[in-house]
Amino acid sequence: MAKKSNEYSNESIASLKGAQRVRKRPAVIFGSDGIEGCEHSVFEILSNSIDEAREGYGKKIILTRYSDGSVSVEDFGRGIPVDFNRNENCYNWELLFCEMYAGGKYNTNDGDNYEFSLGLNGLGLCATQYASEYMDAEIYRDGFRYTLHFEKGEPVGGLKKEETTRRQTGTKITWKPDLEVFTDIDVPREYYEEILKKQAVVNAGVEFVLRWQDKTFDTVTFKYDHGITDYVNELVGENAMIPTQTWQGERRGRDREDKPEYKVKMNFAVTFSNKLSLLEYYHNSSFLEHGGSPEKAVKSAFVSQIDAYLRQNGKYLKNESKINFQDVEDCLVLVSSSFSTQTSYENQTKKAITNKFIAEAMTEFLKHQLEVYFLENPLDAEKITGQVLVNKRSREKA
């Protein structure tokens, strides 16, 4: 064991540089240095391909998990720009693979390359490269095939460029997470299947293919032509109290008066069931495990509107307390998929968003949609609110 020094001098202060910024402290970027962090590093690479597909470049993404634990993600988008960048006076591959906070997604609110993107901070590709035992990139664009190779965060051999007759553009990233960085890299098959299915749900029409190598390759495909609506219908089957409702809207606003205006697109698939309850929130395709703004809006809007209906139609008993969200949630099946040109995530792992305007816009939108639906469908309104009251009274008796 090294002898502890009692000296704390000016020279005691050090800064991490290059790959060591991630390799020594992976949890800062990936949320963990364990299996969860390794899983998130996979998602960082996948999310770049998803952003391409959502912008209309490529309709298929192939994720391959090899028997040695290495992974590849292949898309058929425009291909990562890796050649010389006159504005930055260096090669783009150096920025994207070897420089933190470098990327093409900083100006989403100004109509730049990506309007709605999972990637925001220019960290994911570089951080995953830094955290890899090795990484290989193969890129087709502008009539050329580009290849790159990295080992333990460092480039080996530089950029190789050759002419190609292949017309299909795209990017393929292959890498192996490094056990010197993560305590565990054996990401289970269930994670890959779950994450690809979720992404198929919120990226309607995009085909996600998982190739799993054991002795041979086993292939599973996920695709939802009508996105979240198909998904909710699949979940509830014959157990829905009403037909699945698909509500879509768009708003513009600010989180604060002096902040820039931005756009939010809202998509909801909603039904009710006395056999099943489910709430899932996604933003810019990222699954919001901890909800944030969309969850806040759903709780507020559904309690407010259903309570208003019950009061206006004399459904409460004398001196009966009002419903709460648990009573609604017990019979609600809702999947929310929203997109915005400006997003405030809690952190790099993107498990919750905190935008004030998004919460307000969604609350107003959902209240209006519910009010109109109840007016136009009085029998369904009676079924829904009646079930909520049953849930409430059962909870109070328990």
Side-chain angles (χ1 to χ4, degrees), residues 117-177:
S117 68
L118 264 166
L120 294 175
N121 302 320
L123 293 171
L125 177 58
C126 176
T128 302
Q129 190 279 110
Y130 280 165
S132 300
E133 182 179 324
Y134 68 84
M135 177 178 280
D136 290 302
E138 183 180 15
I139 297 142
Y140 290 88
R141 62 172 291 143
D142 305 325
F144 293 97
R145 174 180 180 262
Y146 299 89
T147 57
L148 290 157
H149 179 68
F150 304 87
E151 295 179 6
K152 295 190 180 296
E154 300 298 332
V156 178
L159 178 69
K160 292 181 171 58
K161 175 181 177 181
E162 60 185 17
E163 290 187 1
T164 180
T165 58
R166 171 174 151 163
R167 301 188 59 162
Q168 177 64 65
T169 57
T171 300
K172 183 177 182 180
I173 305 292
T174 304
W175 78 103
K176 185 175 182 180

Side-chain angles (χ1 to χ4, degrees), residues 348-361:
Q348 176 68 12
T349 57
K350 303 183 177 78
K351 293 183 178 180
I353 62 171
T354 58
N355 297 67
K356 181 173 180 286
F357 168 67
I358 291 176
E360 293 171 347

Side-chain angles (χ1 to χ4, degrees), residues 99-367:
E99 189 66 46
M100 308 281 273
Y101 298 100
K105 302 172 185 177
Y106 289 122
N107 298 313
T108 53
N109 207 29
D110 299 326
D112 209 345
N113 298 302
Y114 299 90
E115 184 175 24
F116 306 111
S117 68
L118 264 166
L120 294 175
N121 302 320
L123 293 171
L125 177 58
C126 176
T128 302
Q129 190 279 110
Y130 280 165
S132 300
E133 182 179 324
Y134 68 84
M135 177 178 280
D136 290 302
E138 183 180 15
I139 297 142
Y140 290 88
R141 62 172 291 143
D142 305 325
F144 293 97
R145 174 180 180 262
Y146 299 89
T147 57
L148 290 157
H149 179 68
F150 304 87
E151 295 179 6
K152 295 190 180 296
E154 300 298 332
V156 178
L159 178 69
K160 292 181 171 58
K161 175 181 177 181
E162 60 185 17
E163 290 187 1
T164 180
T165 58
R166 171 174 151 163
R167 301 188 59 162
Q168 177 64 65
T169 57
T171 300
K172 183 177 182 180
I173 305 292
T174 304
W175 78 103
K176 185 175 182 180
D178 198 341
L179 267 172
E180 292 180 7
V181 176
F182 300 108
T183 59
D184 187 357
I185 63 169
D186 190 19
V187 176
R189 178 168 180 162
E190 291 74 22
Y191 171 80
Y192 290 101
E193 291 184 347
E194 179 184 15
I195 203 69
L196 292 182
K197 180 174 182 176
K198 286 182 183 299
Q199 290 309 309
V201 165
V202 293
N203 290 282
V206 178
E207 182 180 354
F208 290 82
V209 179
L210 173 63
R211 299 173 68 241
W212 187 270
Q213 185 185 35
D214 193 355
K215 292 181 180 177
T216 59
F217 282 101
D218 181 33
T219 301
V220 184
T221 299
F222 302 93
K223 184 180 179 184
Y224 289 84
D225 289 327
H226 301 99
I228 59 176
T229 302
D230 283 351
Y231 177 52
V232 167
N233 286 334
E234 175 185 278
L235 289 170
V236 296
E238 300 297 318
N239 296 315
M241 293 168 58
I242 64 168
T244 299
Q245 302 302 302
T246 304
W247 298 334
Q248 299 176 327
E250 187 174 304
R251 300 287 187 274
R252 298 191 69 91
R254 294 175 167 85
D255 289 325
R256 206 173 64 197
E257 191 174 335
D258 60 331
K259 293 289 186 180
E261 183 179 80
Y262 62 92
K263 179 166 69 175
V264 58
K265 290 177 67 175
M266 299 169 283
N267 304 277
F268 296 91
V270 182
T271 189
F272 290 82
S273 171
N274 54 18
K275 305 284 187 183
L276 172 74
S277 65
L278 175 87
L279 297 174
E280 287 186 4
Y281 307 102
Y282 299 82
H283 190 75
N284 288 359
S285 288
S286 185
F287 174 54
L288 303 179
E289 183 180 343
H290 305 309
S293 299
E295 181 180 45
K296 182 178 179 181
V298 167
K299 288 181 175 181
S300 175
F302 276 78
V303 170
S304 173
Q305 209 57 46
I306 293 175
D307 174 63
Y309 180 93
L310 293 170
R311 284 188 288 101
Q312 291 163 9
N313 291 276
K315 300 295 183 180
Y316 283 125
L317 300 175
K318 186 178 180 181
N319 297 323
E320 185 175 10
S321 61
K322 67 176 285 187
I323 60 167
N324 64 27
F325 185 66
Q326 184 62 56
D327 308 321
V328 178
E329 184 179 10
D330 285 345
C331 59
L332 177 62
V333 180
L334 178 147
V335 178
S336 161
S337 176
S338 54
F339 299 88
S340 66
T341 53
Q342 190 163 300
T343 305
S344 296
Y345 288 104
E346 276 191 351
N347 52 42
Q348 176 68 12
T349 57
K350 303 183 177 78
K351 293 183 178 180
I353 62 171
T354 58
N355 297 67
K356 181 173 180 286
F357 168 67
I358 291 176
E360 293 171 347
M362 284 186 169
T363 301
E364 175 271 325
F365 175 76
L366 287 170
K367 281 184 177 181

